[in-house]
Amino acid sequence: YQNLVASFQREPVAIFYIIANVLLGLHIYHGAWSLFQSLGWANPRFNHWRRGFAIALAAVIVIGNVSFPVAVMTGLVE
């Protein structure tokens, strides 16, 4: 816990972590989108659902991961 707080109190480390997680979110979005395409659900009828699922999954993971450095940088966690 102390190592996590000490690391994220350093602004360059926190910014790098946030950028890396945004890129991870793009990767997860693409993977979730492609998952259903690989299963044969590449039909325009399913595209809206596929896009929504991929965005939601990526957003939950990114927001959860980014909340740690944001909480430390804003002083919510010390």
Side-chain angles (χ1 to χ4, degrees):
Y1 176 82
Q2 292 300 328
N3 288 338
L4 179 123
V5 172
S7 295
F8 287 144
Q9 284 176 339
R10 298 176 55 208
E11 201 169 294
V13 172
I15 291 171
F16 178 79
Y17 183 85
I18 290 170
I19 291 170
N21 272 281
V22 168
L23 295 174
L24 173 66
L26 293 172
H27 180 69
I28 290 172
Y29 168 80
H30 179 263
W33 175 266
S34 297
L35 166 74
F36 294 108
Q37 189 170 2
S38 296
L39 292 174
W41 294 356
N43 187 311
R45 185 173 65 162
F46 296 117
N47 285 347
H48 181 69
W49 182 85
R50 288 172 48 202
R51 183 174 291 112
F53 173 78
I55 289 171
L57 179 64
V60 166
I61 292 170
V62 170
I63 291 169
N65 286 342
V66 168
S67 69
F68 301 124
V70 170
V72 172
M73 291 173 64
T74 59
L76 292 173
V77 175
E78 295 179 1

